[in-house]
Amino acid sequence: MVAESQEAVAGLSRHARQMVRELAVIAGGIVLYFGVRGLITTRIDVAYRNAESIVGLERSTGTFVEPRLQQVVIDRGWLAEVAGYVYIYGHWPVLLITLVWLLIRHREAYRRFRNAMLLSGGAGLVIFALFPVAPPRFLTAYGFVDTVTERTSAYRVLQPPAFVNQYAAVPSLHFGWNLLMGIAAPVWGRTGRSGCSAG
């Protein structure tokens, strides 16, 4: 009985240490993100020039199709509404729920996907610092429409500009991380719990 109690306490202690370690990693990532965000605020003109360079490159290769594609979605009002709500309300819940599920039920898979997020996020921060890019929603002269802001104010509540790097359009971690969670989704169907620790 005593041995079982000690084993249970040791298990809880190990679990608590893992949680503290994961929270420390997340806190470190947030500090780095805000550090890079601070670098960008004085280089907004560079972010616009870089965005225009990308548009120029796409035009020269005949691949500048984004405004036309967006217009197809806008012309189907319901599709624009759905896309906007998925964009606003889907991002953080999808990330958090998937990662928590993996941490609790599939530790080995959690470690892989956590590391993929950290590595891609680190690469993204380097690119954001060296090559800031204004997002398409700021490039109205090229035919882009900020459908999210036009149709709802929730974006400013859930992702307030004061806490978001407005000039981190390339690469899109928003898209990339949700794609990563989509790749993780098949893990949900597996039964059982991995005995591996999330190290």
Side-chain angles (χ1 to χ4, degrees):
M1 185 83 153
V2 173
E4 287 176 4
S5 296
Q6 289 175 338
E7 191 175 313
V9 169
L12 282 172
S13 177
R14 185 170 55 248
H15 187 67
R17 283 196 305 272
Q18 289 171 351
M19 289 298 176
V20 168
R21 186 170 57 233
E22 295 305 317
L23 289 173
V25 167
I26 292 168
I30 290 170
V31 168
L32 283 173
Y33 174 83
F34 278 105
V36 168
R37 184 181 171 278
L39 292 173
I40 305 303
T41 55
T42 58
R43 301 170 62 216
I44 293 172
D45 56 332
V46 174
Y48 277 94
R49 281 201 305 272
N50 288 340
E52 289 172 357
S53 295
I54 291 170
V55 170
L57 176 64
E58 288 188 4
R59 281 180 162 171
S60 70
T61 59
T63 57
F64 185 60
V65 297
E66 293 93 336
R68 285 197 308 258
L69 291 175
Q70 186 186 39
Q71 192 58 51
V72 169
V73 174
I74 291 170
D75 289 345
R76 291 151 182 81
W78 66 270
L79 188 54
E81 293 282 344
V82 169
Y85 278 98
V86 168
Y87 180 83
I88 294 168
Y89 297 108
H91 182 62
W92 290 114
V94 165
L95 292 180
L96 293 173
I97 291 169
T98 304
L99 287 173
V100 167
W101 175 259
L102 290 174
L103 178 61
I104 292 170
R105 299 300 301 269
H106 303 282
R107 300 281 178 87
E108 194 62 38
Y110 167 80
R111 183 169 28 204
R112 282 195 306 274
F113 286 101
R114 177 206 59 195
N115 290 346
M117 286 186 70
L118 289 175
L119 290 171
S120 60
L125 288 178
V126 171
I127 296 168
F128 298 157
L130 299 177
F131 192 76
V133 177
R137 69 179 180 273
F138 292 167
L139 306 177
T140 54
Y142 293 99
F144 290 105
V145 179
D146 187 353
T147 56
V148 172
T149 300
E150 271 189 6
R151 295 167 188 264
T152 178
S153 62
Y155 182 68
R156 290 185 292 278
V157 174
L158 295 174
Q159 297 188 52
F163 295 101
V164 176
N165 183 349
Q166 298 287 312
Y167 303 95
V170 176
S172 172
L173 294 180
H174 196 119
F175 173 81
W177 284 353
N178 280 287
L179 175 63
L180 192 61
M181 295 304 99
I183 294 168
V187 175
W188 284 62
R190 296 184 201 158
T191 56
R193 174 173 174 167
S194 168
C196 299
S197 64

